[in-house]
Amino acid sequence: MLDEATVEQFRVSLRGELIRSEDDGYDEARKAYNAMIDKHPRMIARCADIADVISSVNFARENDIILAIRGGGHSAPGLGLVDDGLVIDLSPMRGVRVDPQARTVRVEGGATLGDVDHAAHAFGLAVPAGIVSTTGIGGLTLGGGQGYLTRKYGLSIDNLLEADLVLADGSLVKASEDEHEELFWAIRGGGGNFGVVTSFLFRAHPVHTVYAGPTLWHIEQAEEVLRWYQQFIPQASEDLSGLFAFLVVPPGPPFPEHLHGKTMCGVVWCYAGPLEEAEEAFRPIRQFSPPALDLAGPMPLPTLNSLFDPLVPPGLQQYWTGDFFNELSEEAIALHVKYGEKTPTMLSTTLFFPIDGAVQRVGKNETAFSYREATWSATINGVDPDPANNERIISWTREYFDALHPYSAGGAYVNFMMDEGQDRIKATYRDNFERLVAIKNEYDPDNHFRINQNIRPTATV
Ligand SMILES: Cc1cc2nc3c(=O)[nH]c(=O)nc-3n(C[C@H](O)[C@H](O)[C@H](O)COP(=O)(O)OP(=O)(O)OC[C@H]3O[C@@H](n4cnc5c(N)ncnc54)[C@H](O)[C@@H]3O)c2cc1C
């Protein structure tokens, strides 16, 4: 049992707020992005700075309290929260500092992708990350980080130069190619298993205005589109990327009324090469089969990266899973179309992220992220505002996954998984798994950081 004096001592040690179950704002503070998650932490420490993070890690360890780290809070299985434990909530730590000369961006551990885009765009720079601006840079980066710029510039981790972490013993270290090299290897794909990242230093790239947006085709053409897409992307210039999607057209602008509510397939494109060459790059796309809707055009990168924000606010029911695919065989394409046609609700979707190009120029053992030879990282998302539809969205996602998994490369992107067990985690890290365990043994032998896709240290297995 914790006595009040100990908690009070902890509370006054913080610059940020300590929120307990009896406090106003507790229910708001414990909300996950995914409304399917309903966890009741014992307390939430809104950390204002590194000192607060150190205090929180020490308090949890000394008082034997389980802890969770919350970055942007987007984890579908709710891994930023924990029942009856302490949440280290990094949401007040969202500072971003751009060095335009060095083309680097330092980002605090609780920042969102929108924070990073906003700061970097002012200098005509971008850090490769994801496709929704409210996602946390913390969880996204530590799992890998896939998005529109992946083919050209690699995963977010391929652009990570260093990170500051508070370790389980409360010490602060820098991990980079020259310091704590094994730790640096592990955090590039190994998730939040090794410590609380208080800041990341990224390499940035000169990307300002891209030629981007969705092109949609009728669902009857889905097999033909998928067949073409999987041939087209790998041979296309790395300036171009496109996420294939099954979707139900939202009932509002910019979508024309006659398409509202229709299940369709499409590709969300991003061309990050010279703008004057964009139309030419899009010629084969438009020639392949004139799309039923073509919304592609020039836009600032942050606009593209927040295009889908209104469709995915916090508070929706979300059930996700995913797999890597090396190729899409005829049988796999037919199955994707079978389930894509049955997309159960307006907000449910399937997305293919191309992860070839620059990702494949890094070896599969050079970072913890293993599936460097995969061409696609697919995610199936059952989503709806109404909990009454949970069974529908969960069973569609599971059945879709079960049907396609035999055609997959074996593992999945950790950031697209629910809580799917140790075998899935091992399948995802493959021959990097044992090295991750060894690093976990060194940096967190008691598994203080275990609310994540957990690499269990040997002593706790
Ligand atoms: C709408 C939506 C869109 C998405 N789009 C993409 C996309 O385009 N590309 C992509 O790659 N992924 C995408 N994802 C998946 C996303 O990468 C994961 O959900 C990721 O876990 C989100 O990180 P977070 O910090 O927001 O989450 P949180 O729930 O806060 O944390 C997730 C995990 O990361 C750990 N963690 C977070 N921050 C830190 C930190 N600073 N130090 C240590 N551990 C930390 C947490 O402990 C937890 O285990 C998307 C998710 C959603 C919901």
Side-chain angles (χ1 to χ4, degrees):
M1 279 298 286
L2 264 181
D3 61 72
E4 273 306 309
T6 311
V7 177
E8 185 54 19
Q9 214 179 5
F10 173 46
R11 195 184 65 73
V12 299
S13 76
L14 299 173
R15 271 271 164 101
E17 205 183 351
L18 183 69
I19 303 170
R20 300 170 72 185
S21 53
E22 60 273 26
D23 293 336
D24 288 347
Y26 171 77
D27 280 327
E28 198 50 40
R30 72 177 185 85
K31 265 189 195 155
Y33 166 82
N34 179 2
M36 252 184 218
I37 307 297
D38 182 25
K39 293 191 185 171
H40 290 80
R42 201 187 300 191
M43 43 191 116
I44 298 163
R46 287 246 162 98
C47 293
D49 55 19
I50 297 174
D52 281 1
V53 175
I54 293 172
S55 275
S56 301
V57 169
N58 287 340
F59 174 77
R61 190 190 60 252
E62 285 159 8
N63 294 288
D64 204 17
I65 296 175
I66 185 166
L67 60 79
I69 310 161
R70 181 180 176 123
H74 261 210
S75 150
L79 296 173
L81 293 166
V82 60
D83 277 324
D84 205 29
L86 170 69
V87 174
I88 296 183
D89 180 351
L90 299 173
S91 59
M93 294 176 63
R94 290 172 58 172
V96 181
R97 206 177 70 234
V98 181
D99 181 336
Q101 270 73 45
R103 283 194 180 164
T104 58
V105 182
R106 183 168 290 283
V107 183
E108 283 191 299
T112 63
L113 306 191
D115 296 332
V116 181
D117 261 356
H118 172 77
H121 189 67
F123 299 94
L125 295 172
V127 174
I131 67 163
V132 171
S133 82
T134 51
T135 305
I137 196 80
L140 176 128
T141 300
L142 295 168
Q146 313 166 160
Y148 298 115
L149 299 178
T150 305
R151 294 190 76 230
K152 185 165 181 172
Y153 295 120
L155 300 166
S156 302
I157 49 170
D158 299 336
N159 296 283
L160 184 63
L161 300 171
E162 59 182 54
D164 289 342
L165 290 94
V166 175
L167 302 178
D169 65 4
S171 60
L172 178 77
V173 299
K174 180 190 290 178
S176 70
E177 291 289 2
D178 307 313
E179 284 175 70
H180 292 273
E181 299 93 315
E182 281 296 281
L183 182 61
F184 189 54
W185 179 89
I187 60 168
R188 286 176 292 165
N193 270 284
F194 304 93
V196 186
V197 177
T198 54
S199 81
F200 299 90
L201 182 70
F202 291 103
R203 184 186 306 114
H205 300 277
V207 183
H208 185 275
T209 300
V210 292
Y211 191 100
T215 52
L216 303 188
W217 288 272
H218 293 292
I219 195 72
E220 294 73 23
Q221 288 177 272
E223 281 203 17
E224 184 196 350
V225 174
L226 254 181
R227 213 173 279 132
W228 166 79
Y229 169 80
Q230 80 139 343
Q231 301 282 328
F232 176 69
I233 290 281
Q235 55 77 49
S237 151
E238 288 173 14
D239 285 337
L240 185 69
S241 188
L243 277 60
F244 177 89
F246 288 111
L247 74 159
V248 180
V249 178
F255 301 100
E257 223 172 297
H258 69 280
L259 297 181
H260 290 177
K262 269 185 178 285
T263 302
M264 297 186 81
C265 68
V267 179
V268 189
W269 301 99
C270 173
Y271 173 80
L275 270 189
E276 60 280 10
E277 292 170 24
E279 293 284 345
E280 185 56 26
F282 269 67
R283 211 148 53 89
I285 300 166
R286 290 168 172 148
Q287 266 174 2
F288 144 70
S289 174
L293 183 68
D294 185 344
L295 294 175
M299 65 179 81
L301 183 71
T303 304
L304 173 66
N305 282 341
S306 49
L307 219 52
F308 301 108
D309 290 8
L311 293 176
V312 285
L316 300 170
Q317 310 288 314
Q318 302 257 0
Y319 189 88
W320 291 40
T321 192
D323 259 327
F324 291 117
F325 290 87
N326 294 334
E327 56 175 5
L328 302 177
S329 65
E330 279 298 305
E331 296 94 320
I333 288 176
L335 283 167
H336 274 295
V337 173
K338 176 180 165 189
Y339 286 93
E341 281 173 347
K342 292 196 282 192
T343 301
T345 59
M346 213 274 291
L347 297 173
S348 298
T349 186
T350 308
L351 284 173
F352 289 75
F353 287 70
I355 54 163
D356 59 335
V359 180
Q360 300 185 346
R361 288 194 283 278
V362 178
K364 74 183 180 66
N365 304 121
E366 282 182 51
T367 67
F369 187 98
S370 168
Y371 276 86
R372 296 276 181 178
E373 79 283 17
T375 314
W376 318 105
S377 174
T379 175
I380 309 167
N381 306 157
V383 182
D384 196 67
D386 187 353
N389 289 327
N390 281 0
E391 206 187 307
R392 255 177 83 207
I393 61 175
I394 293 172
S395 58
W396 173 75
T397 306
R398 294 300 323 164
E399 284 166 25
Y400 191 162
F401 170 82
D402 288 344
L404 264 303
H405 185 64
Y407 299 90
S408 76
Y413 177 39
V414 282
N415 281 343
F416 289 162
M417 295 193 321
M418 297 301 273
D419 187 356
E420 300 181 22
Q422 279 289 302
D423 287 348
R424 280 282 272 169
I425 294 172
K426 284 182 188 164
T428 286
Y429 292 115
R430 301 190 288 188
D431 59 344
N432 286 337
F433 184 75
E434 289 309 323
R435 185 166 168 191
L436 281 166
V437 173
I439 300 166
K440 183 79 173 174
N441 285 343
E442 185 179 345
Y443 284 94
D444 185 21
D446 299 320
N447 211 6
H448 287 293
F449 302 114
R450 64 178 177 276
I451 307 301
N452 41 45
Q453 300 291 353
N454 195 217
I455 312 287
R456 290 194 202 146
T458 311
T460 67
V461 173

